[in-house]
Amino acid sequence: MNLAEHVLHNRYPGRTALVCGDEQVGWDELANRVARFAGALRSKGVQPGERVLFVMRDTPHFAAAWLGAVHAGAIAVALNSKLSEADYRHILADSGAKIAVVDDAFAAAREALRQRCVALQPGHPVPPFDAEPDAPALCLYSSGTTGRPKGILHAHRAGQSVGEAFRALGIGEGDRVFTTSKFFFAYGLEHGLLAPLAMGVTSILSADWPDADAVIDIAARLAPLREVRHFVAGGERLSPQLVEQWRAAVGGELLNLYGMSEGFCACMMTPPGTSDGSRTGKPFPIAEVRLLDADGAEPPPGEPGVLWLRHPAQARGYA
């Protein structure tokens, strides 16, 4: 199987897959770009299982490049564009990446990355690499809060688990979503790119780091905020006061969704109509969660514990 082919296989002819400013890209066009980028990597000698770094804005070009690497059987590694030079040097050494694909805006200020950059011209389309389901397809780097950033490997089979939040919210073919989280985050990658492509949902992209004014401007061009069906906050502890202020100002409920880089796909969400900001949510059908104390027993109601998760998209391990 191949994760990139899995999320693109339906194609949804005639429909727009990605919108970024004035650019609109359909499923067929994106699939063609993906296959050609994979061909470009092959022409540079990139082999299945080798790692390709990406430091790019969240554009259709990123989508084609990242998916193209996976299509070719390489391991796609998208990185935060605001990392320090020291972090980039660490990740370059830690990942053993053969090539870095870097937007011009970032390459000029990133000496470590420039050393791995190569000029890529569109190649001839190549068929998707037929990978084992447990073969690595992507690597997410942790933020380094417990030490140096660590690479978190996910397999091609993880593509089969994307979109549970969309299903829970009734989002499907023909709908539109706008995700402000960046694509180097697990949340942004799933809900801004992979799940929409797999489920026939048009994704509105925010190319640069979002601020409040930019997000409001993009949202206003889509529809008045009071016409948006669902608002979801990923990985934030919301206060009841904030939820009520949001509801009063925008007219929509603010739901909370939970996941982590090691799980890749989201695993829990507050069901619509229940969000007061204080609860993480309920597990999706494909996730199993347990709260256990230090002795491995369930703590009494109201007592803290450690959350254990079993999910079909769980990481293979650290790189």
Side-chain angles (χ1 to χ4, degrees), residues 111-132:
E111 176 62 29
L113 294 174
R114 285 205 304 273
Q115 298 172 10
R116 301 290 175 91
C117 288
V118 296
L120 285 174
Q121 299 297 326
H124 295 293
V126 298
F129 178 75
D130 187 14
E132 293 295 326

Side-chain angles (χ1 to χ4, degrees), residues 47-115:
Q47 298 297 313
E50 293 185 324
R51 301 180 187 197
V52 179
L53 300 185
F54 296 91
V55 183
M56 303 178 69
R57 300 162 71 230
D58 290 357
T59 64
H61 184 49
F62 170 90
W66 190 95
L67 288 165
V70 177
H71 182 99
I75 302 171
V77 188
L79 300 180
N80 186 337
S81 62
K82 294 187 176 183
L83 291 177
S84 69
E85 184 76 7
D87 280 337
Y88 284 126
R89 291 188 181 280
H90 163 70
I91 292 172
L92 280 167
D94 183 68
S95 68
K98 184 168 187 175
I99 285 179
V101 183
V102 186
D103 278 347
D104 289 344
F106 304 131
R110 300 288 185 260
E111 176 62 29
L113 294 174
R114 285 205 304 273
Q115 298 172 10

Side-chain angles (χ1 to χ4, degrees), residues 146-178:
T146 58
R148 302 301 294 271
K150 298 189 293 291
I152 304 164
L153 284 173
H154 288 282
H156 284 269
R157 58 177 165 77
Q160 298 174 324
S161 301
V162 300
E164 285 299 300
F166 287 2
R167 296 181 184 93
L169 296 173
I171 296 172
E173 191 172 334
D175 285 328
R176 296 186 295 178
V177 297
F178 172 36

Side-chain angles (χ1 to χ4, degrees), residues 60 112 123 136 145 177 200 212 215 259 287 316-317:
T145 53
V177 297
V215 169
R316 289 168 39 97

